[in-house]
Amino acid sequence: MLPLIKYPHPLLKRKLSPVEKFNSELKHIVRDMFETMYAYNGIGLAANQVGIDLQIVVVDISYKEKNVKSTSFALINPKILQYSSKKIDAEEGCLSFPGYYERIKRAETIEVEYFDINGKKNKIIVNNLLSRVLQHEIDHINGISFIQRMSADKRLKFYVLYFLGKHKF
Ligand code: CO
């Protein structure tokens, strides 16, 4: 288990360093990230959320979408190549903002390029929940939190409540 980094920790605002070595240390980090994500009932986790400055994302949406099979995977140095013009508005949460949920518009479908844990390059097209989770997590490794993706009024509401001490993370 790794310690969970919460808002407003500066590591959440940092663009993370790319992974250069696909070695046993990387496998170890990925395993610990999965363990931590499952322990907190998360469906996605980025490395800076557990204090690690490397471009690593782990996801597993299978427990939220029961008829999806084998969605547990790690993405190393992921990049979003394309976003669909169609957007979907849905509620989103984040392990670094426990208990806080807000609606956010995200592209329905994206194309993502990433390396797997063995260093093999992959390209995938994903939609719906997996698309949302990957957009959220890939934002994290680029130093972007979901509050920055909210509409201006929702973001203002977040900051006002935060500075009034109504959100404690
Ligand atoms: Co998050």
mmCIF file of all heavy atoms in Angstrom, residues 49 94-95 136-137 140, ligand 1:
data_model
loop_
_atom_site.group_PDB
_atom_site.id
_atom_site.type_symbol
_atom_site.label_atom_id
_atom_site.label_comp_id
_atom_site.label_asym_id
_atom_site.label_seq_id
_atom_site.Cartn_x
_atom_site.Cartn_y
_atom_site.Cartn_z
ATOM 1 N N GLN A 49 -0.629 10.461 -7.479
ATOM 2 C CA GLN A 49 -1.583 10.320 -6.371
ATOM 3 C C GLN A 49 -1.035 9.429 -5.255
ATOM 4 O O GLN A 49 -1.624 9.364 -4.175
ATOM 5 C CB GLN A 49 -2.899 9.727 -6.879
ATOM 6 C CG GLN A 49 -3.655 10.650 -7.805
ATOM 7 C CD GLN A 49 -4.988 10.046 -8.159
ATOM 8 O OE1 GLN A 49 -5.071 9.214 -9.055
ATOM 9 N NE2 GLN A 49 -6.035 10.440 -7.444
ATOM 10 N N CYS A 94 -12.664 11.602 -7.360
ATOM 11 C CA CYS A 94 -11.208 11.441 -7.431
ATOM 12 C C CYS A 94 -10.708 11.034 -6.055
ATOM 13 O O CYS A 94 -11.125 11.635 -5.057
ATOM 14 C CB CYS A 94 -10.573 12.767 -7.862
ATOM 15 S SG CYS A 94 -8.770 12.705 -7.956
ATOM 16 N N LEU A 95 -9.807 10.035 -6.001
ATOM 17 C CA LEU A 95 -9.298 9.580 -4.697
ATOM 18 C C LEU A 95 -8.511 10.682 -3.981
ATOM 19 O O LEU A 95 -8.348 10.620 -2.767
ATOM 20 C CB LEU A 95 -8.413 8.341 -4.867
ATOM 21 C CG LEU A 95 -9.117 7.063 -5.324
ATOM 22 C CD1 LEU A 95 -8.114 5.928 -5.446
ATOM 23 C CD2 LEU A 95 -10.243 6.684 -4.373
ATOM 24 N N HIS A 136 -9.362 11.314 -17.159
ATOM 25 C CA HIS A 136 -9.119 11.806 -15.795
ATOM 26 C C HIS A 136 -7.693 11.470 -15.341
ATOM 27 O O HIS A 136 -6.973 12.331 -14.837
ATOM 28 C CB HIS A 136 -10.163 11.174 -14.861
ATOM 29 C CG HIS A 136 -10.044 11.554 -13.431
ATOM 30 N ND1 HIS A 136 -11.009 12.295 -12.773
ATOM 31 C CD2 HIS A 136 -9.087 11.296 -12.503
ATOM 32 C CE1 HIS A 136 -10.634 12.470 -11.509
ATOM 33 N NE2 HIS A 136 -9.477 11.879 -11.319
ATOM 34 N N GLU A 137 -7.271 10.213 -15.544
ATOM 35 C CA GLU A 137 -5.953 9.783 -15.046
ATOM 36 C C GLU A 137 -4.809 10.364 -15.877
ATOM 37 O O GLU A 137 -3.759 10.719 -15.334
ATOM 38 C CB GLU A 137 -5.860 8.251 -15.015
ATOM 39 C CG GLU A 137 -6.941 7.547 -14.195
ATOM 40 C CD GLU A 137 -7.082 8.063 -12.784
ATOM 41 O OE1 GLU A 137 -6.108 8.616 -12.223
ATOM 42 O OE2 GLU A 137 -8.195 7.932 -12.226
ATOM 43 N N HIS A 140 -4.116 13.678 -14.727
ATOM 44 C CA HIS A 140 -3.307 13.678 -13.499
ATOM 45 C C HIS A 140 -1.814 13.668 -13.800
ATOM 46 O O HIS A 140 -1.056 14.440 -13.212
ATOM 47 C CB HIS A 140 -3.602 12.430 -12.655
ATOM 48 C CG HIS A 140 -4.712 12.593 -11.657
ATOM 49 N ND1 HIS A 140 -4.752 13.615 -10.739
ATOM 50 C CD2 HIS A 140 -5.808 11.836 -11.416
ATOM 51 C CE1 HIS A 140 -5.839 13.488 -9.986
ATOM 52 N NE2 HIS A 140 -6.510 12.417 -10.375
HETATM 53 CO CO CO B 1 -8.229 11.521 -9.724
#
